[in-house]
Amino acid sequence: MKRRKRPARQQTWVYLTETGIGLLVLERSRQGIPQVRTSLWRSEDTPLLKAEQLADWVAKHSRGQLNLLLSDPAYQMLLVDVPDVPAAEMDAALRFKTAELISYDLDDASIDVIMLPTEAYRGRLRMAFVIAAEKKPLADWAMAMARRGLRIECIDIDQLALRNTAIRTLERNQSGLLFMEADRCRLILLFNQEIVLSRQFEIGYSDLGLAADGEQGLELEGNTDIQLDSLSLEIRRSFDYYEAQLVLGAITDVALLGWPGDPAIGEILGTKLDTRFSLLYPEDFIMTPTDGDWPIELTPALGAAFRESAA
């Protein structure tokens, strides 16, 4: 997950989720405008564990170098306090903390660390996100690709891809992105272009109800009212933690990505939470194909176009 100064002109990403595998070829024009050249999706249970079975499909649409993008539960993103130890001992100390939080042996884990801004924890222990994933499935993918003349250049996670999208589309230091799927949503809150809080809620757009074609507003009644109130409460708790516990100021802008229904949802959430919610669509920040249906399952992966180290 290391970065280099300039992004690659073209990137190939293989997106591994719990329910399918996607392939994206992303390209930057000479003017630096990102665009999608190839966007493929294939439904498949636990593709992370099926490297050899799916390698030919990937190789058919790839060449040379490519990158892997993981969705949960292929990884864990753990918020931990940074031990007060000398810098030379920091890596070992964080690995020890991680061992207490993962369900498999630490020797079988691939670990990366994102240190959070010091301003986020004034006067307290500094915090970091530790990202952990099992080594074997990743090694299996690397070997399967190598046998087909392909090399995996880097591995990333979709929460950081969503962060990249948020940074690209939001200007304020205190901002957030709410990504909605059918059965869940993910909220990330940023400070100085880094994630300081990430939460997932088991409420998706199918729980909130969608306006019928031709209707001007979002009709909520019965259980959908309860679900919307529950979602608003969880978002409010996240805002309160950001403002009161982290003392980072108020969240004033949230991008709402993935909502397929009536845009009135932005006004409804904005009124409930006294925060501006702006609907965000892929075409707002990247050039997507105009012919055929866009695979919505690939939406989180689009932020990979703004990663600075990829092939």
Side-chain angles (χ1 to χ4, degrees):
M1 298 180 186
K2 307 301 181 186
R3 299 179 178 180
R4 65 185 177 208
K5 291 183 178 180
R6 298 183 63 185
R9 176 80 180 273
Q10 188 177 90
Q11 308 173 17
T12 299
W13 287 90
V14 177
Y15 185 31
L16 301 172
T17 78
E18 194 172 20
T19 58
I21 178 172
L23 188 139
L24 274 175
V25 178
L26 304 169
E27 185 175 276
R28 285 177 177 266
S29 68
R30 295 187 182 277
Q31 293 74 33
I33 301 172
Q35 53 191 317
V36 177
R37 284 297 185 193
T38 304
S39 55
L40 303 171
W41 176 260
R42 171 172 167 170
S43 295
E44 191 79 40
D45 290 337
T46 60
L48 179 68
L49 306 179
K50 299 177 179 177
E52 195 60 41
Q53 296 96 309
L54 296 172
D56 286 336
W57 181 81
V58 173
K60 181 180 178 181
H61 305 288
S62 308
R63 62 180 182 179
Q65 299 175 333
L66 52 83
N67 314 287
L68 291 186
L69 186 68
L70 306 180
S71 179
D72 59 336
Y75 68 89
Q76 292 173 269
M77 189 168 173
L78 309 164
L79 183 64
V80 301
D81 58 281
V82 176
D84 186 15
V85 298
E89 302 174 17
M90 183 65 69
D91 184 63
L94 286 173
R95 288 182 64 85
F96 179 78
K97 277 185 167 291
T98 303
E100 301 173 343
L101 300 172
I102 60 177
S103 59
Y104 45 93
D105 192 278
L106 186 61
D107 291 336
D108 299 326
S110 178
I111 303 293
D112 204 353
V113 177
I114 301 175
M115 301 294 292
L116 298 188
T118 54
E119 302 95 320
Y121 297 91
R122 299 184 183 95
R124 289 162 288 175
L125 288 174
R126 192 173 179 189
M127 305 295 287
F129 279 117
V130 174
I131 301 168
E134 290 192 75
K135 286 180 181 177
K136 186 179 184 307
L138 303 179
D140 289 345
W141 268 97
M143 290 299 296
M145 294 294 95
R147 282 192 284 269
R148 290 156 178 84
L150 300 170
R151 182 165 66 89
I152 295 175
E153 174 71 12
C154 75
I155 300 172
D156 209 339
I157 63 173
D158 57 1
Q159 285 198 64
L160 295 185
L162 288 171
R163 176 204 62 183
N164 295 345
T165 296
I167 293 172
R168 178 78 173 191
T169 56
L170 297 167
E171 297 181 355
R172 295 180 181 273
N173 287 337
Q174 296 96 343
S175 57
L177 183 142
L178 180 65
F179 173 61
M180 301 203 73
E181 299 176 83
D183 58 353
R184 65 175 183 172
C185 61
R186 283 181 275 183
L187 176 69
I188 62 172
L189 300 183
L190 306 180
F191 179 77
N192 283 349
Q193 300 190 333
E194 286 294 348
I195 298 177
V196 294
L197 186 63
S198 174
R199 298 188 65 197
Q200 179 172 298
F201 313 122
E202 300 306 315
I203 300 173
Y205 57 74
S206 63
D207 300 303
L208 300 181
L210 297 175
D213 290 343
E215 292 183 357
Q216 296 301 310
L218 181 69
E219 297 295 333
L220 296 172
E221 53 184 49
N223 187 55
T224 53
D225 277 325
I226 297 173
Q227 294 282 33
L228 184 63
D229 287 342
S230 296
L231 177 60
S232 300
L233 178 60
E234 292 299 335
I235 296 174
R236 170 51 59 199
R237 287 172 174 166
S238 304
F239 288 176
D240 290 345
Y241 180 82
Y242 184 98
E243 184 173 353
Q245 297 298 317
L246 304 183
V247 198
L248 295 179
I251 295 287
T252 56
D253 290 282
V254 177
L256 178 57
L257 179 66
W259 175 257
D262 192 298
I265 187 66
E267 296 179 11
I268 293 171
L269 287 172
T271 299
K272 285 179 173 290
L273 294 162
D274 193 25
T275 301
R276 189 166 74 95
F277 281 77
S278 302
L279 267 67
L280 181 66
Y281 302 98
E283 57 267 26
D284 293 335
F285 58 90
I286 193 168
M287 294 176 62
T288 55
T290 56
D291 53 336
D293 294 331
W294 164 256
I296 60 171
E297 296 89 351
L298 294 178
T299 301
L302 291 175
F306 312 116
R307 192 185 197 278
E308 295 181 352
S309 176

